[in-house]
Amino acid sequence: MNDQSKSNYRKFMLLWAGELVSSIGGGLTSFGLGIYIFQKTGNASGMALMTLLAFLPGLLLKVPAGVLADRYDRRLLMMIGDGCSGLGVLFILLCMLGGEAELWQIYLGVIISSVFSALLEPAFTATITDLLTKEQFSRANGLVSMAGSARYLFSPILAGFILAFSDIKVILIIDICTFFLTIVSAAVVRKNIAVNTMPERKSFLRSMKEGWEVITKTKGLFLLILISSAVTMFMGVFQVLGEPFVLSFADSKSLGIIESVAASGMLFTGVILGIKGIRRNFVKMLSIGLFFSGIGMAFFGVFNNTVVIALFGFLFFASLPIANNSLDYLARTNIPEEVQGRAWGFIGFISQLGYVIAYALSGITADAVGAVTGGGVGKGAALTITVSGIGLALIATLICRVRSINELEKTTPEPIRVPKTE
């Protein structure tokens, strides 16, 4: 690794640290609001609706946000997205300071936060390509996965501790404070890296079309994106129903401990990948990662024992970074650098459509299954999670058999370029 690569990697680490802090703060708010709504409504549908409303605006804006990431300063977009997303959290806090917040006020706040957060993901993903070489991608993605795990590892147990001695307003204040740290880290990196600009100014729609053409011209890449949409649907079911399932037989403190123990699996694997990365057999590793994630999910919903479900939750989260790392590498190395923002905007939009289905239907499904079986929301959530886990494992076994997906690894181009700096 030459001096320039080392310097760029240090800049990435600074951005990563900011995202780690932001992830913990966002996890605190997500956990706290989920408990607040469940206690207020007593059903899974209310929590699922909050998750959907927090997610859907960001999803719909991913494609235009990807175009902006190729047109303008990506670090500035990250600063705007992170900073302004705090306005939604601030709105919820102000509502709670005047008494109990109504559900519509919470929903409006998470929508505001989601709209501005949409600017962040394509800009951050494309910035990784700006800063790093091909050989560093796998290690970097391992660290990104580890940062993502922080919202499940540290946030639940911290939130559970805070809620035991105080209330959700303290959690919201902490989350708002974390936004300032992420803005500072992006500002520091922005001073020392060249601003990306398009060689010629094209219409917004033309720029979007180019991003679409990039991901559809390679059959294996587009098929992999479509498969990932099905994967996120099953994973979304687990995200929405895991909490109401546990809360049906345990308290919020136990839920926080279970989530933290389970998410430590992602931290464990993320650290290993951050040090060594994955060097070959990315398609095979993608299949293995998804298969064991499915197994962990399926058995998570079978037992009502907190220790056992924490262990299967650990398996689920420990397998995710392997799948995410492999998928990221296969996609990133098959996309030209100059359209990374636009391409990742479309990739994020298509692959995460599965979450929309899960967030919209999983709560309703769990409540309906619980009513039919007579087991209540807990039984309905458990059965829905188990079936989804089996579906994820079945998809995983098919990936390695798809020739066009295997060709993504065989035809991976040479490193796109050495990152530019000023």
Side-chain angles (χ1 to χ4, degrees), residues 345-368:
F346 272 108
I347 291 173
F349 176 77
I350 297 172
S351 65
Q352 294 181 18
L353 282 175
Y355 282 129
V356 177
I357 299 173
Y359 296 162
L361 299 180
S362 57
I364 298 174
T365 302
D367 290 337

Side-chain angles (χ1 to χ4, degrees), residues 245 364-384 387:
F245 165 58
I364 298 174
T365 302
D367 290 337
V369 172
V372 171
T373 60
V377 63
K379 184 65 174 179
L383 289 174
T384 308
V387 172

Side-chain angles (χ1 to χ4, degrees), residues 186-204:
V188 171
V189 172
R190 182 171 179 253
K191 290 183 178 180
N192 301 303
I193 185 170
V195 176
N196 51 289
T197 56
M198 288 184 178
E200 57 177 305
R201 183 64 68 182
K202 302 174 182 177
S203 70
F204 204 87

Side-chain angles (χ1 to χ4, degrees), residues 144-209:
V144 171
S145 294
M146 186 169 63
S149 72
R151 70 184 294 117
Y152 304 106
L153 175 62
F154 302 114
S155 300
I157 196 167
L158 287 174
F161 178 80
I162 293 171
L163 291 175
F165 296 95
S166 185
D167 61 19
I168 191 174
K169 291 189 287 293
V170 175
I171 288 177
L172 298 179
I173 292 172
I174 294 174
D175 188 17
I176 292 171
C177 291
T178 64
F179 290 112
F180 294 102
L181 296 177
T182 56
I183 292 173
V184 170
S185 65
V188 171
V189 172
R190 182 171 179 253
K191 290 183 178 180
N192 301 303
I193 185 170
V195 176
N196 51 289
T197 56
M198 288 184 178
E200 57 177 305
R201 183 64 68 182
K202 302 174 182 177
S203 70
F204 204 87
L205 290 177
R206 175 58 186 167
S207 298
M208 290 175 61
K209 183 179 178 182

Side-chain angles (χ1 to χ4, degrees), residues 42-59:
N43 58 56
S45 300
M47 296 176 66
L49 180 58
M50 184 198 73
T51 306
L52 175 63
L53 294 177
F55 175 79
L56 189 57
L59 175 66

Side-chain angles (χ1 to χ4, degrees), residues 241 245 297-298 300-302 304 366 377-387:
L241 299 182
F245 165 58
M297 186 194 307
F300 184 93
V302 173
N304 282 4
V377 63
K379 184 65 174 179
L383 289 174
T384 308
I385 290 172
T386 297
V387 172

Side-chain angles (χ1 to χ4, degrees), residues 7-90:
S7 175
N8 286 342
Y9 200 80
R10 286 194 292 268
K11 295 168 189 173
F12 159 75
M13 288 298 296
L14 180 60
L15 285 177
W16 172 80
E19 291 308 306
L20 173 64
V21 172
S22 179
S23 178
I24 293 175
L28 288 173
T29 295
S30 179
F31 184 91
L33 289 178
I35 297 295
Y36 184 87
I37 290 177
F38 187 78
Q39 291 175 341
K40 196 176 182 69
T41 64
N43 58 56
S45 300
M47 296 176 66
L49 180 58
M50 184 198 73
T51 306
L52 175 63
L53 294 177
F55 175 79
L56 189 57
L59 175 66
L60 297 176
L61 293 173
K62 278 185 185 295
V63 174
V67 176
L68 292 176
D70 283 337
R71 282 176 173 252
Y72 302 107
D73 186 343
R74 290 166 180 166
R75 272 59 62 185
L76 180 59
L77 291 175
M78 291 172 60
M79 293 167 62
I80 295 173
D82 250 337
C84 293
S85 63
L87 295 176
V89 181
L90 178 61

